[in-house]
Amino acid sequence: MSDIKLYQGDCLEVMREIPDNSIDCIITDLPYNINQAQWDNKFPIDFAIKECARIIKPSGNIILFQGWSNVCDTICLIEHNTNWILQDWIIYDRIKGRGGKKHLVSTREDMLWYSNGSEYTFNKIPSTIKKKTGGLGLKNGCEYRALSNVWTDISPIVPWSKERVDHPTQKPVQLMERCVQLWSNEGDTVLDFTMGSGSTGVACKNLNRNFIGIELDDKYFEIAKEKIEEVKNKMVNQ
């Protein structure tokens, strides 16, 4: 049975209470500091990174969602404040996007995968895209294409999505389940310190990971808490 701990408050204050070297995997959607909302402005990413460096285990993974316009700044901050190793730079194509009048429509979401050392968890899984050819294409016994660092096979949250809640940057549970499965093992502890609507927590509950979630906004905290409780209740009643 996975252990779920949820905290409503300032993530930097709550993270100070987390012991050193105690988290197996950090998966979080950092504010992009692009002034799209009050919470997406002047977030101290450098301080958050320093706290992450303190609490992550030596074999831990750190997965940071970022926007194209500030991802390079974040990389520079990480290089300055940590010894993390950049293992990959993943692009999630969320299909729907912003802009278009004077720019190309941006449908990309950047994901930085760092490890805290040379030994780290990585569980190889395939994509959900079926191979188009048989023969040599099925030689390895898998009918699905290998998972690349460009993810086009997970549908975004749209107005008619069944899982949609009132949160502007909600991530699909399927997307977070992929992250949890790739970079943690059953029984590991996963932290999302900008929890939002709680998709990472739902994914952890579904996949038997311990989860620590932190969210400042009381409205979004209640949404996340309700979503995770719903999954827990379904499991109890099965």
Side-chain angles (χ1 to χ4, degrees), residues 79-114:
E79 290 179 347
H80 181 73
N81 291 290
T82 78
N83 293 316
W84 296 346
I85 302 168
L86 181 60
Q87 296 294 343
D88 216 325
W89 186 338
I90 299 154
I91 302 300
Y92 166 52
D93 180 4
R94 62 176 186 261
I95 303 174
K96 61 186 180 69
R98 296 185 296 268
K101 290 184 178 180
K102 295 185 178 180
H103 301 89
L104 298 174
V105 175
S106 176
T107 65
R108 65 182 286 167
E109 193 142 15
D110 297 62
M111 300 167 57
L112 301 173
W113 165 27
Y114 285 94

Side-chain angles (χ1 to χ4, degrees), residues 10-70:
D10 187 319
C11 63
L12 296 182
E13 294 180 4
V14 177
M15 288 169 70
R16 291 192 185 102
E17 303 301 317
I18 298 177
D20 295 359
N21 305 321
S22 62
I23 302 298
D24 296 285
C25 184
I26 296 171
I27 305 174
T28 201
D29 185 10
L30 288 171
Y32 297 172
N33 285 340
I34 56 175
N35 298 318
Q36 291 295 315
Q38 183 177 357
W39 49 263
D40 192 24
N41 184 25
K42 298 182 180 179
F43 180 80
I45 294 178
D46 52 343
F47 289 103
I49 289 170
K50 290 177 183 177
E51 280 299 296
C52 289
R54 179 184 64 81
I55 63 180
I56 194 71
K57 289 183 178 180
S59 59
N61 288 308
I62 306 95
I63 316 302
L64 304 176
F65 284 80
Q66 284 287 268
W68 69 267
S69 60
N70 71 317

Side-chain angles (χ1 to χ4, degrees), residues 148-208:
S148 75
N149 57 7
V150 179
W151 296 359
T152 62
D153 60 332
I154 296 179
S155 298
I157 299 296
V158 292
W160 53 89
S161 298
K162 290 183 179 180
E163 65 179 281
R164 182 175 181 265
V165 296
D166 187 15
H167 190 280
T169 61
Q170 182 183 356
K171 298 292 186 292
V173 170
Q174 184 185 8
L175 174 64
M176 306 319 296
E177 285 182 339
R178 175 174 287 177
C179 294
V180 168
Q181 190 174 0
L182 280 169
W183 295 302
S184 70
N185 296 315
E186 287 195 34
D188 281 355
T189 297
V190 177
L191 167 68
D192 185 349
F193 59 87
T194 56
M195 178 174 60
S197 63
S199 296
T200 309
V202 172
C204 286
K205 190 63 185 177
N206 288 339
L207 296 171
N208 196 28

